[in-house]
Structures are given as C-alpha cells and as structure tokens.
Amino acid sequence: MPAYTLEIIVVCTGLAMLLIDAFAKLEDKRSIAWLGLLGIGAAFLLLFKVEPHTAGVEPESAFWIFYADDRWALFYKGLALLATFIVLLLSAEFEEVVRRHIARPGPDAHPQAGLGEFFALPVFCCAGLMWMASATHLVGIFVALETVTISFYIMVAYLRRNAGSLEAGVKYLILGALSTGFLVYGFAWLFGATGSMELKAIAAALRSDDVNTTAALFAFALILVALAFKVGAVPFQFWIPDVYQGAPTPITAFLSVGSKAAGFIVLLRVAQPFLESPAFAEKTALVFAIMAGATLVYGNLAALPQSNFKRLLAYSSIAHAGFLLMIVAAAPKSGAPDALSPAAAVAFYLAAYLAMTLLAFIVMTVVRTRQDSEEIAAYRGLGKTSPFLAFCLLIAMASLAGIPLTAGFFGKFFAFALAIRAELWTLVVLAAVGAGAGFYYYLRIVAEIYWRDPAHEDGSGFPIGTPLKIVAILLMLAIVAFGVFPGAVLGLLAAHS
Amino acid sequence: MNFLFYLFAATALAGGIGVVINRNPVSSAFAMIVSFLGLAALFIQLDAYLVGILQILVYAGAIMVLFLFIIMLLDVPSEERRRLTFGALAAAAAVAGGFLLLLGSVLRKHGAGRAILEPLDLPADAPSDVHRIGDLLFSTYWFPIQIVGVLLLVATVGVVVLSKRELR
C-alpha cells in the first residue's frame, strides 16, 4: 500500500464527519468524534502496512517530486496521527465547555450546535501535518503548512463567546500571517539563488560553487524567521503564552505537539541542505546556536513565576524548542556517522515530548471541564481527591523535567550528548541552567498536588472516562518504556532505512 | 522605455506613501489601488503580462473591494493626528537610515542597475503565459492544487463556524 493512501483516508474521514454533521440528525454529536477516532485509528494501523515507493520502477509521476515516503516521513506521520487521536478524545471530553462558549441556545437549535466542526477540523489539520511530513518541494511545504496553520487559526478562536479565545485567535492570525509572508519571501529568494524549488536540487546547488552566498543566506534567514514562529523559538515566541492560554485546552495540546513537530520536520528538511553544505554549515549552525541559547534561557526563566498551569506549559514548550534547536545547532559537527544522528535525536525528543505533554493536557482537560480553572491552585491536593490524575501528572512532570527512567530524560540526554560532541560549551552551560530551572517549576506542580490540602472542601475527585483513562495509562507506559529502553524508538527509525 | 519605468515606479511609490500618510482609511485604500496599478505596469514592462493583469484583477479589483467593503462596513473613523515626540522621530530616523544604508551597501556590492536584461526571445507561436501556467498547474503541480482544495474547505468551514450568528 503506498503511503499517500493514509492522507486519503484521513481527508475522507474528515469529509464524512462534516457531511454526517450536516445531514444526519444525531442525538449526541460526540458520535462524530468517535467516527473521527475510527478513521484516524485505522490510518495509524495502516501506517505499518506502507510499502515504500521504489524510484524508477513504475512510470514516474510528477507526484514523487512533491512527496517523500522515507522513514522520517512515516515516523512523523505516526506522531501526527497519534496526536490527533488523543486530541479528538480530549475534544469529546471537552464538549461541555465548547458548548457553553459557542452557542446562544435558540428555540430550534441543536443543543450541541457547532460541535461537529470542532471534531472535524483536527482531522483536516492532521492531513496537513502528514503532507508536511512528506513534503520535499517548497510549494508542497507551503500549501501543507498553510492547511495546518489555517485550521489552527479557526480552532484557536473556536470558543467564539469567550474573549480569551478570540483574542488568542486574532493574535495567532496576525502573527501567523506575518510569518507566512516571511516564509514565502524566503522561498522566493531560495528559488532565485538556487534555481529550483525541489529540496534535492537545492541541496545540490548549495554544495556547488556558483551559488550566490548572500542571496542564499538571506533566504535562509527569512525562512528561519518564519519557522521560528511556528516552533516558538526566541525572539519569535511572543504569541505562544497568550495563544496557548486562550485556546480551548485540547487545541492547546494539539498546537503544542502537532504544530511543533510539523515546524521541526520542515525546519530539518529546509535547513539540512544548508547544514550539509561546507560553505554554509558554519554560519547557519551559529545562528541556530544563538537562537537555541536565547530560547533555553527565556523559556525556562520565564516559566518560573507562572501561576497558571496552561501558561506554564506554554513557556515549557518554548524551553523544549530550545533543547530541540540545540540538537539542530550541533548537527554539522556531531561527528561519527555510526553514532546517534541529530535527526534521530530530534525525532526521539519530539516523540517523548508528545507523550508527556499530551498526558499533562489530559489531566488539564479533565480538571478544566469539572472545575473551570487552569490556575495551579486548582490542582492543590489532587493527590488526595483524584489519585489517578495526580499520578498521571506526576509522571508527566517528571518526564518534562527530565528525571531518569522517563522518556524526557533521554530526550535531554541526547541533546546534551550531541552538543558536547559538537563542543558547543556555552550552549551546554545555558541548557544545564535551563534544565535546572525546569526541575523547579515542574516539580513545584508535583509539590502542590501531593503536599497541599485540596482547595475545595467537599473532597470529591474528578471522574475520568474509560477511553481517556486507557490512553493515559498507555502514555505513562510509553514514557517509562522509552525512558528505560530508548532503543525502541531509535530502532523504529533505523528499521525502515 | 526608461522614462516609462521611472514614471510607473514613481506612481507605485507615491501610492505607497499615500497609504501611510492619509488619515482617512478610505483614502488610504484608494492610494493602495494607485500603487497596485503602478506595480502592474512595471510587471507588464517586464513582459510578465499575466502577473500584471492578475495584479489589477485580483489585487486592485477583488481584494481592494473587500478592503473598502470592510472599512465602510465597520465605519472605521479617521485616525487622530498624534503629536510626534523627539524620541519617536529619532528612533524612526535611525531605523529608516540604518535600513537605507544596508540596502545601499547590498545594492552596490551586487551591482544593481548595471546588468541589462535582454528582452525574452520567444518564438512567435509559443503558447501564451496563461496557457503555460495552466498547463503546469494541472500537470506537474496537481498535488499541491489538491491540498489547496482541502485548505479552502477548512477555511470555508471556519468562516461559517466563527461568524454565523446562530449555529444550528
């Protein structure tokens, strides 16, 4: 089965969801979410049945200029599908809050009016993420990226009777449109400098001598500005805290995982030709190193005084982008080819980040649905009232902080190992300071949930649905399993080569 | 030919300046149309007829009408004249000056204006721009076009969901 079948399945699922929402009279619109889960789950299982395309055997179609189905593409497609699956589950859980904030109950309106689209949009966004994972052509990258970004604009502003959500939507729209402008301008310069929009041909052109260095570097700078917006790297991180805080919680989870993974795969694909070309490697790596250092310091230090849990995770997402950029900065000098490759380290980090962030957001969604608060104070005494949720949060925070025996530890470990091998000492020191600060603000949450008395007196816990509970348990198992045997993920990456 | 270039470049620039200095949003929008017309003429001088026509049809036509429509619908008031402080002026001058210096040095280094572009030597029976672009869009680039289809669907859904007064 060729890889592009997966996207066809995902898009058809999304279309089916929209059509059923429009034409079928449903009692409970959450069944649309179950349909989406079915489609996404099927696509995820079929991911393991994909047979890579072999070049030159069949009559070559123009399609393969735009589409790669190598192991990286498949790995990131898997991440996108997993993230979407969990986000859909969370959205179904979040149904009540969405309903409260979008509909003005009219006489003949469905009580869950507007909910079907809330479940369908992440599915289309997932298709965009998957196309992005495979994109090998600047035009393909651009249209896939825009599909993802535009669906995020809508999802962020979805709670249309909530000022915070609308504000987040407007901010995200304006800054996102600006960064898109930079991206297109950068692509135009790259096309002008290298004469091609195919990444392979661009890589070849950058290695040759007759490329205009100034023009290519200018293109690189513009593209970097745009992608730094997407992944949330300093100095283009201003939108992150407000947008994360204002967006509906499941969408924040999607934004922090999906948008970041997609940003990094495009960053890797576009930056690779530069990082591998002898004329550009040193300059581009230096830019990445500076950006990584600034991101590490800003993300970690700004997270320290936060009192809102969602905002804290927003700053933490900036901090993690710093660690990921550190890996990219170390790429050109990471030495022996037999050792861990930077691309594999980034993939592992993103997989670990996905598991631990989504786990934290599962807890946050449950608490938000029941208690209508995202302040850290709302989590006080969670260990007594809801031991299961508290334990989930403990594992997630331990992994985000990078405590050994969790996936987050190895993510950070690989980042440090590569930076040390590349002898980026300043960056290593900054990262160590950042990781230390991380221990404080992540474990502060653990202290609040276990060592403080519950904020509300009745002592009742927060119930959690069975499907969500199973997913949470699986995520915890994954975090611990990757933390004990990191080779499992790395092997998955190597096995397809 | 050279005279025409300067004429249209000046038109485009004047339009751009008009957008910034007009206090009334409607006048700004009209100044933008002037700027777009100048740009379109420049494209046509470069033998890029399709781009030039699209510039007029899409930008000066459709998008500007949308702008005007929104400005008039929202009844945006004229901007109030702000008193400029010395600090603001100095900062603006520093940024603009720095940018000009940078631009000037880059243009000098790469010898802008010295290269002379030969007119394209196309055979008389070559297919037109529109023909060739359409051909490429629906042969080589069919895959991105399909993705754009999904993108437009998502955007349409979003507009309906976010702006409909009462959802059913």
Side-chain angles (χ1 to χ4, degrees):
Chain A
M1 192 191 72
Y4 53 77
T5 328
L6 298 175
E7 283 96 343
I8 297 179
I9 295 174
V10 172
V11 170
C12 288
T13 309
L15 287 175
M17 290 163 81
L18 281 181
L19 288 175
I20 289 178
D21 182 38
F23 293 111
K25 297 258 179 290
L26 294 171
E27 281 292 307
D28 186 352
K29 288 204 177 184
R30 271 180 291 182
S31 41
I32 297 171
W34 304 133
L35 175 68
L37 287 173
L38 202 70
I40 299 284
F44 184 74
L45 292 181
L46 286 173
L47 189 65
F48 297 95
K49 291 273 179 203
V50 166
E51 289 149 15
H53 161 77
T54 36
V57 176
E58 44 204 294
E60 283 299 292
S61 137
F63 177 69
W64 297 102
I65 305 172
F66 296 95
Y67 196 89
D69 57 357
D70 53 7
R71 62 203 157 110
W72 302 111
L74 293 182
F75 183 81
Y76 284 104
K77 275 183 213 290
L79 282 191
L81 285 167
L82 269 182
T84 315
F85 189 87
I86 297 172
V87 166
L88 272 181
L89 263 182
L90 287 178
S91 305
E93 178 81 19
F94 206 61
E95 171 258 344
E96 208 183 301
V97 183
V98 179
R99 206 171 48 181
R100 217 183 313 142
H101 287 288
I102 55 174
R104 191 188 289 154
D108 55 345
H110 191 288
Q112 289 169 316
L115 224 74
E117 289 86 355
F118 188 66
F119 300 137
L121 284 172
V123 176
F124 287 113
C125 188
C126 174
L129 289 171
M130 291 166 75
W131 281 319
M132 225 153 126
S134 284
T136 54
H137 189 284
L138 297 185
V139 174
I141 290 179
F142 180 70
V143 287
L145 191 71
E146 277 314 284
T147 311
V148 171
T149 323
I150 287 182
S151 44
F152 269 125
Y153 296 152
I154 303 161
M155 292 189 283
V156 165
Y158 209 90
L159 305 180
R160 54 188 205 152
R161 304 230 183 270
N162 175 318
S165 174
L166 287 180
E167 188 198 328
V170 170
K171 267 188 191 158
Y172 190 40
L173 174 69
I174 291 174
L175 287 177
L178 186 69
S179 86
T180 301
F182 277 108
L183 189 69
V184 180
Y185 196 31
F187 280 176
W189 273 87
L190 197 54
F191 176 64
T194 60
S196 175
M197 291 202 278
E198 273 174 70
L199 288 177
K200 252 186 236 155
I202 289 174
L206 288 180
R207 251 178 268 125
S208 69
D209 291 331
D210 53 337
V211 62
N212 183 334
T213 326
T214 322
L217 277 177
F218 186 54
F220 172 76
L222 289 169
I223 295 171
L224 190 64
V225 167
L227 292 177
F229 262 115
K230 305 280 180 229
V231 302
V234 173
F236 308 105
Q237 85 298 355
F238 291 109
W239 60 277
I240 287 206
D242 291 341
V243 172
Y244 275 35
Q245 196 179 354
T249 310
I251 302 310
T252 312
F254 203 19
L255 200 60
S256 69
V257 174
S259 178
K260 186 150 299 201
F264 266 99
I265 184 170
V266 172
L267 188 68
L268 281 180
R269 282 202 196 274
V270 178
Q272 207 172 19
F274 286 93
L275 290 169
E276 281 173 358
S277 139
F280 294 96
E282 210 167 309
K283 285 176 189 148
T284 43
L286 179 68
V287 175
F288 276 120
I290 293 172
M291 204 176 237
T295 311
L296 280 166
V297 171
Y298 179 87
N300 282 305
L301 296 189
L304 287 177
Q306 299 307 322
S307 65
N308 181 303
F309 191 30
K310 218 167 162 189
R311 219 175 161 80
L312 178 89
L313 282 186
Y315 283 105
S316 127
S317 123
I318 298 175
H320 285 285
F323 282 104
L324 283 158
L325 282 173
M326 181 161 95
I327 302 175
V328 181
K333 287 195 281 181
S334 55
D338 58 314
L340 179 74
S341 75
V346 169
F348 182 87
Y349 203 114
L350 282 171
Y353 180 73
L354 176 133
M356 55 211 193
T357 310
L358 286 180
L359 188 59
F361 273 104
I362 288 178
V363 177
M364 194 188 291
T365 306
V366 173
V367 173
R368 168 82 164 84
T369 316
R370 306 281 179 269
Q371 207 173 18
D372 212 18
S373 169
E374 279 146 3
E375 295 297 312
I376 292 175
Y379 292 81
R380 272 183 198 152
L382 198 68
K384 290 193 187 98
T385 55
S386 327
F388 178 75
L389 289 181
F391 187 67
C392 288
L393 213 49
L394 170 69
I395 299 275
M397 290 300 126
S399 181
L400 282 166
I403 288 172
L405 295 184
T406 60
F409 169 74
F410 274 104
K412 285 205 172 82
F413 176 78
F414 293 145
F416 275 107
L418 283 169
I420 289 171
R421 211 190 298 155
E423 297 178 346
L424 300 166
W425 299 118
T426 324
L427 203 51
V428 170
V429 171
L430 290 178
V433 171
F439 270 97
Y440 170 74
Y441 61 79
Y442 291 124
L443 298 185
R444 192 165 56 113
I445 309 270
V446 175
E448 290 275 348
I449 58 178
Y450 279 110
W451 295 337
R452 297 287 288 268
D453 287 327
H456 53 119
E457 293 302 315
D458 55 356
S460 61
F462 304 110
I464 173 172
T466 318
L468 213 50
K469 197 166 188 170
I470 295 172
V471 169
I473 292 172
L474 287 178
L475 283 177
M476 284 193 281
L477 285 178
I479 289 173
V480 175
F482 296 163
V484 182
F485 311 106
V489 173
L490 298 174
L492 197 66
L493 284 171
H496 288 283
S497 57
Chain B
M1 213 52 186
N2 233 343
F3 162 71
L4 283 179
F5 169 78
Y6 286 113
L7 177 69
F8 289 123
T11 317
L13 277 178
I17 293 172
V19 175
V20 182
I21 59 171
N22 266 315
R23 296 284 153 187
N24 186 338
V26 179
S27 322
S28 280
F30 277 110
M32 205 162 174
I33 298 183
V34 174
S35 172
F36 282 151
L37 288 179
L39 273 183
L42 289 180
F43 277 126
I44 288 172
Q45 273 195 311
L46 290 169
D47 284 342
Y49 296 104
L50 180 66
V51 187
I53 296 299
L54 281 184
Q55 181 82 26
I56 292 178
L57 279 184
V58 177
Y59 282 87
I63 293 186
M64 284 320 298
V65 169
L66 194 69
F67 270 22
L68 284 174
F69 189 70
I70 292 171
I71 291 172
M72 292 180 174
L73 196 71
L74 297 181
D75 201 13
V76 183
S78 292
E79 213 177 311
E80 272 179 42
R81 194 168 289 276
R82 272 173 302 176
R83 186 178 288 271
L84 289 173
T85 58
F86 175 74
L89 274 179
V95 170
F99 186 71
L100 265 184
L101 270 180
L102 202 64
L103 191 68
S105 69
V106 169
L107 288 181
R108 256 174 70 113
K109 188 175 166 197
H110 291 280
R114 256 169 279 154
I116 293 179
L117 292 174
E118 296 296 325
L120 287 178
D121 188 23
L122 292 174
D125 57 344
S128 65
D129 281 2
V130 188
H131 190 117
R132 280 190 295 182
I133 288 178
D135 219 31
L136 269 181
L137 272 186
F138 291 98
S139 57
T140 313
Y141 289 87
W142 68 267
F143 179 56
I145 290 281
Q146 300 285 318
I147 303 183
V148 169
V150 177
L151 193 158
L152 290 178
L153 173 71
V154 167
T156 317
V157 169
V159 168
V160 172
V161 162
L162 291 183
S163 65
K164 202 156 178 250
R165 192 174 294 272
E166 208 168 313
L167 293 166
R168 298 208 174 164

